[in-house]
Amino acid sequence: MGDRAWSYVSGTSEKPLLGITIGDLFDQIVSQYPDNEALVSRHQNIRYTYRQFQQVVNQCARSLMHLGFKKGERLGIWAPNVAEWAIVQYATSKIGVILVNINPSYRLHELEYALRQSGCKAIAIAPQFKSSNYTQMLYDICPELKESKPGELKSAALPALRTVIRLSEERMPGMFTWNDVLSVAENVSEAELAVRQRDQEFDDPINIQYTSGTTGFPKGATLSHHNILNNGYFTAELMNFTDKDRLVIPVPLYHCFGMVMGNLGCLTHGATAIYPNDGFDPKMVLEAIQAEKATAVYGVPTMFIAELDHPDFSKYDFSTLRTGLMAGSPCPIEVMKKVNTLMHMPEAEIAYGMTETSPVSFQTRTDAPLNKRVSTVGLIHPHLEVKIVDPTDGKIVAVGEKGELCTRGYSVMLGYWNNEEATKNSIDTAGWMHTGDLAVMDDEGYVNIVGRIKDMIIRGGENVYPREIEEFLYTHPKVSDVQVIGLPDPKYGEEIMAWVKLREGETATSEELRAYCKDKIAHYKVPRYFKFVEAFPMTVTGKIQKYLMRQESIKELGLETAATIKMA
């Protein structure tokens, strides 16, 4: 059967897993690196050394104890990237309160669903962000709030919710200010906090992250200390992080990329986490890199594209940069090459995973050959296992064959919060998390993600993987970004459509792009339809929402009838 005839790998490591809670590791790191900068929030003009950060985290933890929070209760956080987010993250982990991350772009019904489904007892909110007035939105859901005493809410819509903490100094009816909360810490001693901290176990749930379901309601992936602390640690470890590293984090904290790979990755190594702004702004990222002498920067591919395309890009000094991570969605090869050279990030890596696996299960290594670094998601993470199976019968496939990627190990979530059925559908009886991603493994164990099982296009009996066509169209000099989808077609079952974003100042036609494809890719892969756009519909984390692109295109092209034809 040969050494690697089957698509299975396990990640070995000389470094053991961390068998410790987030709170205890936090205190260890503070005693090792008390004077290192822990957190820099540039837009708030806040800087904390590890010792200062510990003081405010403990203050917040003691305050929450005084306000009556018990182990296992849920506290939601609905805010963009601010220092208070990280303070609440570490404070809740010390006292065993489960932090519920709420997507900053949620509208009313999504917010209400997440708070009710998780049974949040409290929520910490930013006053507002972009076009969302969070304060008003909470009054809309809980009109009783205006008449309530802070901490004593009784709401018909959200029966579990008692407390609203507004991350601001301005007083609003029914809500605590951030200072109100911190000021009650003196009622609980450091010794009482230490006793509470000792009561935590590393397998306890500590975080619920709602995954943006493309259909139906979002599901709350429930993660333990062990899940996320180890994942943050090994992600940073594979980037050769030390206490000298300074990481710019423009990705949202509510998502694993920000709070696990970013915050916890820095914490586990005594490194510095830098927030350039509350939301993503390419210029502020470039400014933060230069001003903070950053050694690393994170981003989804669209963020790196925006930074590289910024008119002032060449004015900034990137000489301190060394590494970084691109994750969240597939990275175009041409973009990675530019990041390596123009951004002075020769060691930039790609990571792949999902919220349900804490999140990372594959990562490229700094010393891998360039073609492996850009055309694959790298090698398996330490202490994890992966296999690729035939989606129809669940049997493992041979190396080089496409199938569904499954992950097993310390990183697999405890389950979906209060949703046994969805948990059973995702984690099988042998402990494998089924990702829904189509992947191929080569004989060295490198993996390539070729799409979602749901995204594969079947045109006239031929399996077409959108990623392949996207990679090809990226090589056109006028194309800045491209996304490929399948649309219903009465003759072929599905036809191919490319949404194309051109470089600034460029124009192109469908005929021109079709001619570019001719004889270079198989005729059945050449898109029948092209649409030129300024942007793609996407989630806050940079995941392209292809189902929305499909809906819009079906309507525009009048394919509603074709969409109703049942295919065998």
Side-chain angles (χ1 to χ4, degrees), residues 347-366:
E347 298 179 15
E349 299 181 5
I350 286 173
Y352 158 82
M354 62 192 306
T355 305
E356 290 87 340
T357 57
S358 302
V360 183
S361 45
F362 276 83
Q363 195 169 328
T364 53
R365 309 301 200 257
T366 51

Side-chain angles (χ1 to χ4, degrees), residues 290-365:
Q290 178 172 299
E292 299 294 337
K293 299 191 166 33
T295 59
V297 59
Y298 281 179
V300 296
T302 46
M303 289 179 175
F304 282 106
I305 290 169
E307 288 150 25
L308 289 160
D309 285 351
H310 195 276
D312 295 339
F313 178 82
S314 57
K315 294 179 187 162
Y316 291 95
D317 175 10
F318 301 106
S319 61
T320 55
L321 280 180
R322 166 181 75 79
T323 187
L325 271 184
M326 212 180 287
S329 59
C331 163
I333 292 170
E334 294 307 310
V335 176
M336 188 50 141
K337 287 180 180 166
K338 284 182 181 169
V339 167
N340 287 160
T341 52
L342 303 179
M343 287 185 80
H344 200 270
M345 291 166 64
E347 298 179 15
E349 299 181 5
I350 286 173
Y352 158 82
M354 62 192 306
T355 305
E356 290 87 340
T357 57
S358 302
V360 183
S361 45
F362 276 83
Q363 195 169 328
T364 53
R365 309 301 200 257

Side-chain angles (χ1 to χ4, degrees), residues 49 51 58 73 115 123 128 138 176 221 226 262 297 327 334 343 429 443 453 465 469 482 524 568:
T49 63
R51 174 74 69 222
N58 286 356
E73 289 184 326
L115 290 175
I123 182 171
Q128 73 282 318
L138 267 180
F176 286 120
H226 200 62
V297 59
E334 294 307 310
M343 287 185 80
T429 50
D443 52 10
I453 289 176
Y465 298 93
I469 305 168
V482 57
Y524 64 85

Side-chain angles (χ1 to χ4, degrees), residues 24 147-148 176 198 223 329 337 354 382 424 433 488 507:
D24 286 352
E147 308 304 319
S148 306
F176 286 120
R198 277 199 295 276
L223 302 166
S329 59
K337 287 180 180 166
M354 62 192 306
K424 272 214 246 356
M433 175 78 210
T507 54

Side-chain angles (χ1 to χ4, degrees), residues 529-565:
Y529 308 104
F530 285 90
K531 174 180 166 89
F532 296 95
V533 296
E534 292 295 307
F536 307 107
M538 57 172 78
T539 65
V540 185
T541 54
K543 281 212 179 9
I544 308 286
Q545 293 173 301
K546 288 193 169 181
Y547 73 103
L548 289 179
M549 291 165 54
R550 266 187 219 106
Q551 285 169 9
E552 196 177 312
S553 303
I554 287 170
K555 215 155 137 193
E556 278 177 15
L557 295 164
L559 299 174
E560 288 90 347
T561 319
T564 61
I565 298 171

